[in-house]
Amino acid sequence: TQLLEQSPQFLSIQEGENLTVYCNSSSVFSSLQWYRQEPGEGPVLLVTVVTGGEVKKLKRLTFQFGDARKDSSLHITAAQPGDTGLYLCAGAKGGADGLTFGKGTHLIIQP
Amino acid sequence: SQTIHQWPATLVQPVGSPLSLECTVEGTSNPNLYWYRQAAGRGLQLLFYSVGIGQISSEVPQNLSASRPQDRQFILSSKKLLLSDSGFYLCAWRQLGARNIQYFGAGTRLSVL
């Protein structure tokens, strides 16, 4: 059972466009992380959201945690080729358990 | 600052051969440690995690095992590899007492032929 659904799975847009990636679940998480992964490398943490309704900004990236802490979104403004990569959302529950990952969104920004 | 090391970076092994992947963390004490496997271009599946020396929790029954012989060392092993063991293996650590924010190593690409 896939507890975290990411959409879209693939997205290819032109440089300068805006985009939104979604991460949805029927489960409640204590926190949710977004990672970006380059081919052949480990995921790199972008942000952690903890509070329902929380919004965090990282330059042109805006992350939002749903009020019920079941879903999240990543919005990129004026996308650049350097934003290309695999974006993964991961939910955390209490305790030492591992993270639950979505399948990821493959993003390609064409110059 | 904390760093995490995984090796080897790539590995090609024949079916039926043993496996040993190593992960070490520097700059922290008593971290929680994790092994994940990632299918090509996909999300990560948790395999094992450890909250301390000699303490291993298995998430998915399979042909693999894990051990934690030292506080900051986590090893993934197999006695006989299967074709289905091929994949990208990632080690991660989390600071004890902190929110479940995990930091990943660079990964090991394992090809079983």
Side-chain angles (χ1 to χ4, degrees), chain A residues 2-11 18-26 29 32-35 49 62-66 70-76 86-91 100-107, chain B residues 42:
Chain A
Q2 183 66 38
L3 296 181
L4 273 173
E5 297 286 346
Q6 277 189 249
S7 62
Q9 291 188 39
F10 300 93
L11 183 60
N18 301 333
L19 67 109
T20 302
V21 175
Y22 299 93
C23 178
N24 297 305
S25 175
S26 57
F29 294 101
L32 196 140
Q33 276 84 244
W34 284 92
Y35 294 84
V49 285
T62 301
F63 304 85
Q64 185 164 7
F65 203 12
K70 293 182 179 181
D71 52 79
S72 181
S73 64
L74 158 60
H75 182 79
I76 301 179
L86 176 65
Y87 288 81
L88 295 161
C89 67
T100 299
F101 279 85
K103 291 185 178 180
T105 294
H106 291 268
L107 177 62
Chain B
R42 291 302 189 183

Side-chain angles (χ1 to χ4, degrees), chain A residues 9-10 31 33 35 37 40-43 45 48 50 86 88 92-93 95-104 106, chain B residues 32 34 36 38 40-46 49-51 59 88 90 94 98-107 109:
Chain A
Q9 291 188 39
F10 300 93
S31 67
Q33 276 84 244
Y35 294 84
Q37 186 178 22
E41 299 179 9
L45 180 68
T48 298
V50 179
L86 176 65
L88 295 161
K93 304 223 173 180
D97 295 359
L99 299 174
T100 299
F101 279 85
K103 291 185 178 180
H106 291 268
Chain B
N32 290 347
Y34 303 83
Y36 291 85
Q38 185 175 28
R42 291 302 189 183
L44 283 64
Q45 178 189 34
L46 179 67
Y49 70 91
S50 172
V51 299
E59 291 293 304
F88 192 47
L90 288 154
R94 167 200 169 189
R99 291 196 184 97
N100 198 348
I101 299 171
Q102 297 182 16
Y103 301 93
F104 287 84
R109 172 71 60 194

Side-chain angles (χ1 to χ4, degrees), chain B residues 49-112:
Chain B
Y49 70 91
S50 172
V51 299
I53 296 173
Q55 301 179 63
I56 307 296
S57 295
S58 175
E59 291 293 304
V60 181
Q62 59 210 314
N63 187 41
L64 302 169
S65 62
S67 62
R68 185 170 177 174
Q70 300 181 46
D71 180 45
R72 291 169 289 175
Q73 183 185 30
F74 204 22
I75 297 172
L76 184 68
S77 303
S78 174
K79 292 182 179 179
K80 290 185 177 182
L81 283 168
L82 306 173
L83 287 174
S84 57
D85 291 324
S86 293
F88 192 47
Y89 289 83
L90 288 154
C91 181
W93 73 275
R94 167 200 169 189
Q95 182 64 52
L96 182 68
R99 291 196 184 97
N100 198 348
I101 299 171
Q102 297 182 16
Y103 301 93
F104 287 84
T108 295
R109 172 71 60 194
L110 172 65
S111 299
V112 182

Side-chain angles (χ1 to χ4, degrees), chain B residues 5-66:
Chain B
H5 303 280
Q6 273 188 254
W7 66 92
T10 59
L11 189 60
V12 180
Q13 293 285 98
V15 170
S17 65
L19 172 74
S20 181
L21 302 181
E22 191 162 342
C23 171
T24 59
V25 180
E26 296 178 358
T28 187
S29 298
N30 198 21
N32 290 347
L33 297 171
Y34 303 83
W35 279 112
Y36 291 85
R37 179 167 58 201
Q38 185 175 28
R42 291 302 189 183
L44 283 64
Q45 178 189 34
L46 179 67
L47 302 176
F48 302 94
Y49 70 91
S50 172
V51 299
I53 296 173
Q55 301 179 63
I56 307 296
S57 295
S58 175
E59 291 293 304
V60 181
Q62 59 210 314
N63 187 41
L64 302 169
S65 62

